Amino acid sequence: MELYRYDKQMKASPEEIFDVVNDDEKLKQWSPIFEGNDYFTEEERARGTKFRTRLKVLNKSYQFRSQITEYEENRYVKVRTTLKQGTITSAFELAPSSNNETQVTVTSNFEGAGRKYNLILKGARPVIKRVLDNQVNKLEQIAAE
């Protein structure tokens, strides 16, 4: 089930955008729920990297184990996050465009272990979209600086 999709032009180069996405400290600037990552592999940004992400939502902390399944610097990152309720696969793709603009595509899909979670997430999609759209808009502002 698709949780989120963003597909728009940003006024920044792929390198400028990727620099902001690919740095944990810069991630905190545009994603206020992001607290940090703990890495279990030597490489922090490569195919096969394993890490735990810490998020804080409504004063409650959450931790998720993830792995980078595909990685091309300045172009593409795909991450698989495993939850007890299922798996979330997220992809972040950058394609250079004209006038120092970049086509940015972000997708997030959930494969669940039960109908209950699919129904909950289906109902939560509008809220998820609003929150993530705000974060991606902040990403554009920071990358363009």
Side-chain angles (χ1 to χ4, degrees):
M1 169 182 32
E2 185 173 272
L3 288 177
Y4 180 70
R5 173 173 288 282
Y6 177 95
D7 195 13
K8 294 183 182 173
Q9 295 274 330
M10 282 191 185
K11 294 180 181 182
S13 71
E15 293 79 12
E16 291 167 325
I17 296 166
F18 205 79
D19 180 59
V20 176
V21 170
N22 215 28
D23 181 299
D24 288 350
E25 290 307 309
K26 291 179 182 176
L27 264 167
K28 292 175 184 177
Q29 294 175 18
W30 62 275
S31 180
I33 65 172
F34 178 76
E35 289 190 319
N37 286 324
D38 300 317
Y39 295 92
F40 304 118
T41 54
E42 188 173 327
E43 291 270 355
E44 292 185 4
R45 298 287 195 275
R47 184 177 182 186
T49 296
K50 294 181 180 183
F51 59 100
R52 178 177 46 231
T53 298
R54 296 183 321 277
L55 304 175
K56 191 167 193 172
V57 180
L58 300 173
N59 295 320
K60 186 168 182 181
S61 293
Y62 298 91
Q63 296 184 24
F64 304 100
R65 287 194 179 262
S66 299
Q67 181 173 10
I68 296 174
T69 58
E70 296 179 41
Y71 183 90
E72 183 182 344
E73 189 167 349
N74 296 322
R75 296 291 182 256
Y76 189 74
V77 177
K78 189 173 188 178
V79 176
R80 183 181 65 237
T81 302
T82 305
L83 314 168
K84 63 182 175 183
Q85 299 87 353
T87 303
I88 296 173
T89 303
S90 300
F92 186 87
E93 184 173 5
L94 303 173
S97 187
S98 60
N99 301 327
N100 196 35
E101 289 191 351
T102 302
Q103 186 68 34
V104 178
T105 306
V106 180
T107 58
S108 189
N109 295 290
F110 176 75
E111 293 178 40
R115 182 181 161 142
K116 172 183 164 185
Y117 295 107
N118 286 335
L119 289 172
I120 291 168
L121 289 173
K122 188 174 183 178
R125 273 195 303 203
V127 173
I128 292 169
K129 179 169 178 35
R130 187 171 61 242
V131 168
L132 293 179
D133 280 349
N134 284 336
Q135 289 183 10
V136 176
N137 289 335
K138 284 183 185 177
L139 164 63
E140 181 178 18
Q141 292 169 2
I142 292 167
E145 292 178 350

